[in-house]
Each structure stands twice: as C-alpha cells, then as structure tokens.
C-alpha cells in the first residue's frame, strides 16, 4: 500500500468521522451561529476605526491629513459611541445568538432563549458598584464568559422544559403571554444559581466569574497567538478540506473566541496609543492564509487560465472571479484539488509557508497588525489593508504571499497538466484507431 493510500485511509477512517461529529455538535454550531449573528455589528464597528484613528502620521504636514486628524481628536467621544455600542458590547450579540441557536435546536422559543442567555451573562459580567454598572467585560474580555453562560442558560431551559418543570397556562391564553410565563421558572433558576455562584467566587478569590475565567485561560489565550498555534490550525484546516470536509468552519469555530478577545485587546491598545499585543486574528487568517479561499488558490486560478489543458483552462475561467472574493469551490472541486494526490503538498504547505512569512514579518514590525474585523469575502490585498486600519504594508505582504503561492503551485500544476494532456492524447489515439467506437 502506498504512503498516499495509507494517508487517505487514516483520513477516511479516523479524521473524517471525528471532524463530522465535531462539526455537527450542537454547542459548536451554536457558538458559530453566535459569532455569525454578531458579525454585521462588529464589522461596522470596526469600520469606524478608520474615522476615529486616521491612517496618517500625527506630524503629517498634508492639509487633508491635518484636518482629518483634528476632526477625529475634536469629536473622538462622539465617534467612539457607535464603536462602543457595537464592538464594545460584542458579548451581547454573541450571547443572544448562541441562545437563539440552541433554542431552535431544542425547539424552544429562540427569542426567549436568546434573552435568557443574555440575562445570564449580565448576571455575572455586569457588576454594579457606586451606582454604576461596569462595562469592562462587555467586549473581548467577556467572550468566554458569554459562551459559557449562554450555553448554561439554554441547556437549563431545555432541561426544565424536557422534565415539564414549567408553568402551563390554558390554551385560551395568547401564545405570547403563555411563552412569557413558561420562561419564569428558568429565569428564577438562572438567577438562583449564577448570582450566588458569582458572589461566592468573588468572596473567595477576589475576582468575579469573567475575571476568573480570563485568569485561568490567560496561558491558552497567549498560546493561541503563537506561530505554532497558527501552523497547527492551518494544517488541520487543510487536511480536513483535502478530505472534502469544510475545515475552515471547524477551525474558525474553535479560534473565534480567541480572535475576538485578541482583537478587543488590539483595539484597546490602539485607542490608548500603546503597542498592539496580538498578531493572529481573523484578518490575519482571512487575508494572508486564505488568499482566494482555503489553500490560497487565487494565484493558482491565474495559472489555470494559461494552462495548455482545456479542462484546467476552463476551470480557471470559471473560478478566477469567485476567487477574488475568496470563494474557491470551483477550483477545489473542478480541478480537482480535493483528494488529488498531486496537489496535496502545495495545498497543505502553501498557507503554512505564507503564515510563517506573514507572522515573522509582523513580529519584526515590518507589517501593520490587525485592528479591524472585515468581511471574509473582501479581496485579500484590500481586506488586509482594511484590517490594519488601511496601512500599506499588509498589501505588500499579500502580494509577496501571492507570488510565493504561484511559485509553489506551478510545478505541481505543470505535472498535473502533463498527465491530463497525456490522457487526452491517448484518448484521441484510441478514437482515431477505432472510429466505430468513437461514433
């Protein structure tokens, strides 16, 4: 048995079932849905950063730049309000999204389940002191707390409903009123469990739940921003995709809480004028590692356009425009790359090499770091610049990654092209030698 066949067997027998189970697990789906629900608000909030922090040097002598900088400083408080009510309260949207997703799964009212999850988060993450509610954990610092409290509240609601521990009203009562009474007991249970727990943890450790969670996860959050973490997550994504499984959904579902926490820290540092602490964020993943889609296949799409094989040239024409917007299924399944042994090495190694180059360049200070959340469909050079508050260095880094990708894909593409041309030649010879069969 060849090495390739052994690898295929391992993927089919071990990796595929595990990934399939993980991808269909209700909590993984709910977390993914929660971040998707929050995405529009966070993208718009991040977009405002360019108005709050213009991409010009403070000592710029250009009149337009000076005017913009003065405007942003004069109206900083007003400009920050929409940002604070979107990125600054991302945990609100995530909590409601997770609760609503689990509510649908358990056939509960999604709105009520989402609101219950939101209340559960506020109970532990919004301490009230001296007449004010602290907003410290409403942004990235409270991400992990919002995940846990939303899951707990939704599961508790489902448990109580499943065991008929609820208030039932006559059928004549309007549905909306009945639902309001149905959730009364779950609300009481959530308050009676989470609030005392929060008070107990605070009295024994001096930290409320979100603070304690961040303290416990600090080493993991730090490790998630390292080059090994990047390479491992990319490798898993590529292996799963090579087997035909949407690896990006699984990997991003795991990494999103870390990315959002790190993004919030970068934005806080930007507002304070401090050095940005984190490199590996969603903008890094989307615009350096997924140029044209998983496997960084946009350069490959350009190479396909000039292929001598009609099949590959046709796929290039079909796939090049979607690849601009990081949609590369025509390339993956049309070439094909999926389960094609000739493309295993470049498909796996290209994004890993690009990740290494981009990480080292950013670590050395040559490339600006990510401070904004961008739509994943934004073309790589534009998205990379946008994510880094419209800096120019990410565009250069993207172009370098694209050139490297083309160089690495080229020999494998030529080998595959020769195989296809040889097959076409043999087919034509058979047809010419047997015209009856051809007809």
């Amino acid at each position: 048995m060849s090495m390739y066949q052994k690898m295929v067997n391992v993927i089919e027998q071990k990796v595929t079932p595990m990934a399939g189970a993980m991808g269909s697990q209700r909590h993984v789906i709910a977390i993914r849905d929660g971040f998707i629900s929050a995405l529009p608000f966070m993208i718009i909030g991040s977009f405002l950063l360019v108005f709050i922090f213009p991409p010009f040097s403070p000592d710029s002598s250009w009149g337009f730049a000076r005017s913009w900088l003065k405007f942003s400083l004069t109206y900083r408080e007003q400009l920050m309000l929409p940002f604070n009510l979107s990125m600054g309260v991302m945990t609100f949207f995530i909590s409601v999204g997770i609760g609503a997703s689990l509510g649908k799964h358990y056939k509960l009212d999604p709105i009520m389940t989402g609101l219950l999850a939101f209340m559960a988060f506020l109970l532990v993450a919004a301490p009230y002191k001296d007449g004010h509610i602290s907003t410290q954990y409403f942004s990235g610092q409270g991400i992990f707390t919002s995940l846990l409290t939303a899951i707990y509240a939704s599961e508790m609601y489902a448990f109580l409903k499943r065991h008929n521990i609820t208030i039932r009203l006559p059928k004549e009562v309007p549905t909306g009123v009945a639902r309001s009474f149905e959730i009364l007991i779950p609300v009481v249970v959530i308050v009676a469990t989470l609030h005392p727990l929060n008070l107990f943890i605070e009295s024994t450790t001096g930290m409320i739940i979100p603070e304690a969670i961040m303290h416990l996860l600090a080493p993991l959050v730090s490790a998630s921003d390292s080059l090994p973490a990047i390479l491992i997550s990319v490798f898993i994504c590529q292996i799963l995709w090579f087997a035909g499984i949407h690896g990006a959904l699984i990997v991003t579902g795991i990494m999103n809480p870390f990315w959002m926490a790190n993004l919030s820290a970068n934005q806080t540092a930007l507002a304070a004028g401090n050095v940005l602490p984190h490199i590996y964020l969603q903008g890094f993943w989307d615009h350096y590692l997924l140029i044209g889609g998983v496997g960084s296949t946009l350069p490959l799409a350009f190479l396909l356009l000039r292929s001598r094989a009609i099949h590959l040239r046709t796929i290039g024409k079909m796939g090049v425009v979607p690849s601009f917007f990081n949609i590369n299924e025509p390339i993956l399944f049309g070439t094909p790359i999926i389960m094609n042994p000739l493309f295993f090495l470049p498909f796996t190694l290209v994004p890993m090499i690009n990740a290494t180059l981009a990480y080292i360049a950013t670590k050395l200070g040559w490339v600006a770091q990510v401070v904004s959340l961008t739509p994943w469909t934004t073309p790589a050079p534009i998205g990379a610049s946008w994510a880094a508050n419209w800096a120019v260095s990410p565009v250069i880094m993207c172009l370098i990654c694209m050139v490297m990708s083309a160089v690495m894909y080229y020999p494998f593409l030529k080998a595959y092209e020769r195989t296809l041309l040889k097959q076409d030649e043999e087919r034509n010879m058979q047809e010419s030698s047997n015209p009856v069969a051809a007809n």
Side-chain angles (χ1 to χ4, degrees), residues 104-152:
K104 288 179 184 177
H105 175 81
Y106 288 120
K107 295 180 172 54
L108 304 171
D109 183 280
I111 296 176
M112 286 299 184
T113 313
L115 291 175
L116 182 67
F118 178 44
M119 186 205 72
F121 171 73
L122 289 178
L123 268 176
V124 301
Y128 184 81
K129 189 175 181 181
D130 298 329
H132 300 283
I133 292 176
S134 172
T135 62
Q136 180 180 356
Y137 297 105
F138 290 176
S139 58
Q141 290 292 306
I143 286 279
F144 296 99
T145 304
S146 70
L147 305 185
L148 294 174
T149 52
I151 290 172
Y152 170 72

Side-chain angles (χ1 to χ4, degrees), residues 304-437:
L304 291 174
L305 290 174
R306 300 180 61 83
S307 174
R308 292 186 296 130
I310 296 174
H311 166 73
L312 296 180
R313 198 161 59 245
T314 302
I315 295 300
K317 292 176 182 177
M318 291 173 54
V320 69
V321 173
S323 290
F324 270 113
F325 304 97
N326 303 320
I327 300 168
N328 65 341
E329 277 78 2
I331 304 293
L332 294 179
F333 294 99
T335 305
I337 292 176
I338 303 302
M339 298 303 288
N340 186 337
L342 274 172
F343 283 105
F344 174 73
L345 279 177
F347 182 69
T348 305
L349 294 179
V350 162
M352 296 180 72
I353 292 173
N354 284 347
T356 304
L357 292 174
Y359 183 86
I360 292 173
T362 307
K363 193 77 173 177
L364 292 173
W366 298 346
V367 176
Q369 290 162 251
V370 173
V371 293
S372 295
L373 189 65
T374 58
W376 64 270
T377 50
T378 311
I382 299 173
S385 179
W386 176 0
N389 206 24
W390 298 105
V392 176
S393 56
V395 176
I396 299 172
M397 188 70 248
C398 264
L399 295 176
I400 292 172
C401 288
M402 291 176 69
V403 171
M404 291 296 296
S405 300
V407 169
M408 288 184 282
Y409 270 117
Y410 184 75
F412 296 93
L413 174 61
K414 297 308 288 185
Y416 185 50
E417 182 184 80
R418 285 193 294 269
T419 301
L420 293 182
L421 291 173
K422 185 177 180 180
Q423 291 175 355
D424 289 342
E425 184 179 345
E426 291 174 353
R427 190 182 303 112
N428 291 334
M429 288 178 63
Q430 289 176 359
E431 290 177 354
S432 61
S433 63
N434 190 1
V436 176

Side-chain angles (χ1 to χ4, degrees), residues 230-249:
I230 299 174
L231 296 180
I232 290 170
S233 58
V234 174
F235 180 74
I236 292 172
C237 176
Q238 299 307 114
I239 289 292
L240 293 176
W241 256 115
F242 190 76
I245 301 168
H246 202 310
L249 282 180

